[in-house]
Amino acid sequence: MNFQEIKEQEQRYILHTYGRVDVALVKGKNARAWDMEGKEYLDFTSGIGVNALGYSDPLWMAAVAKQAGEIQHLCNYYYSPQNTALAQELCEAAGMAQAFFCNSGAEANECAVKVARKYGEKRNARNIVTLWNSFHGRTLTTLAATGQDGFHRDFLPLTEGFLYAEAGDISGVEKLLDGSVCAVLIETVQGEGGVIPLEEDFVQALSALCREKDVLLMVDEVQTGIGRTGAFYSYQNYGIEPDAVTTAKGLGGGLPIGACLVSERLRNILKPGQQGSTFGGNPVVCAGAREVVRRVSAPAFLQGVREKGAYLWERLLSMPQVELVRGKGLMLGVKLKQGDAHDVLVRCAEQGLLILTAKELVRFLPPLTITREEMDEGLGIFEQVLGKTEE
Ligand SMILES: *Cc1c(COP(=O)(O)O)cnc(C)c1O
């Protein structure tokens, strides 16, 4: 099949929920990928922050292949050593107490919502506060948690019990905490919302306020987690101790996994039968995730992410067409002085560089293992495309 045939097949047989770019990747190595005709791309998307160790990492591949050849799945009525080992390693890296495993970010947030409702149930506190411009997933409950009306349209009614506050406005949050609220859920860097980091003062004040009002502080680390911001979890940059953390994207290194992690005070909050997932904690996925956690949690690896992020930031900011750079670590948003971010994305793909957008910004989420040479090559293409946009 050639590309045109694949495109026709997609048009005919797949629901058009994605605005796709004309690229079909068939092979990859770290931050490089190739399409069917052998054209090479620098990939600064890592599949939206999923391929934390890049494409075809040899140790990740070996862990996954070995486990697939031993036992590929078992139901959660039995114990799985890969599953329990990952839970311990992940909780230790995250500073949390227990994990519930599922298959995606939205499901991890669904679990956090159930944890929060359960926590508030006795005193009839059922509402959850999230922030305007947040993104928490596509299920009807996580859509309700998502503070962007555009995502809600056409799908009403959503799950009840979500209230929204303005990021940075601590008194606005305080007004909402009237005894009906069991939890506050935040992204420390709003990803889909335009790569917007929350201010440290706001996050620390929020943490103190939640403690004072006996409201859970839950952090959605689906995009920011697993080393993406240069800390194992982004909340660790803020010096706070959340009650629950949700994680997915980068955790599996390319295979589907999500987790809701809870702190010591929520130990065993959910009882047998109150939450479950057929695939959750699958041993093949867990074997790969263990390799991701082992590598990414090493202080030298995280230091490397911070250094690469700083290098990209500096290079991007030095480009005359760039108005501003924001984000943290290897999660960067670039605002251009002129030109449409999506047009730039399409032109970059034509020239062999894959990037993302977030609102009106260009977004970079390269694999955490990207090399200096790969960064330089991709930046070169980006610079060239921006130069042409200006003409
Ligand atoms: C991607 C994302 C989600 C949803 O994850 P899925 O795996 O697509 O369900 C939730 N929260 C944040 C912050 C995300 O970036």
Side-chain angles (χ1 to χ4, degrees), residues 104-107 109 135-138 187 192 220 222-223 248-249:
S104 67
E107 278 176 274
N109 285 332
F135 182 83
H136 298 294
R138 302 286 194 159
E187 299 158 90
E192 302 305 309
D220 178 343
V222 171
Q223 189 161 152
K249 290 195 168 90

Side-chain angles (χ1 to χ4, degrees), residues 43-50 55 228 354-356 364-367:
D43 188 339
F44 281 19
T45 74
S46 60
I48 318 193
V50 167
Y55 293 116
R228 178 55 55 188
L354 303 177
I355 58 173
L356 299 161
F364 296 97
L365 294 174

Side-chain angles (χ1 to χ4, degrees), residues 206-237:
L206 187 61
S207 170
L209 184 63
C210 286
R211 280 283 171 278
E212 184 197 318
K213 304 266 186 185
D214 191 22
V215 163
L216 299 180
L217 178 60
M218 312 199 293
V219 184
D220 178 343
E221 293 266 9
V222 171
Q223 189 161 152
T224 51
I226 314 296
R228 178 55 55 188
T229 69
F232 189 76
Y233 281 115
S234 169
Y235 84 77
Q236 294 163 328
N237 293 320

Side-chain angles (χ1 to χ4, degrees), residues 80-145:
S80 155
Q82 291 292 6
N83 185 211
T84 53
L86 175 63
Q88 179 174 353
E89 290 153 10
L90 186 57
C91 284
E92 284 172 0
M96 302 300 279
Q98 289 181 312
F100 171 80
F101 288 115
C102 52
N103 316 284
S104 67
E107 278 176 274
N109 285 332
E110 288 271 349
C111 181
V113 168
K114 286 179 79 171
V115 164
R117 291 257 175 100
K118 179 83 193 281
Y119 183 77
E121 196 263 327
K122 279 196 192 70
R123 58 187 162 96
N124 218 0
R126 302 172 195 283
N127 289 332
I128 296 173
V129 171
T130 65
L131 299 179
W132 290 115
N133 197 46
S134 56
F135 182 83
H136 298 294
R138 302 286 194 159
T139 62
L140 287 170
T141 295
T142 57
L143 266 187

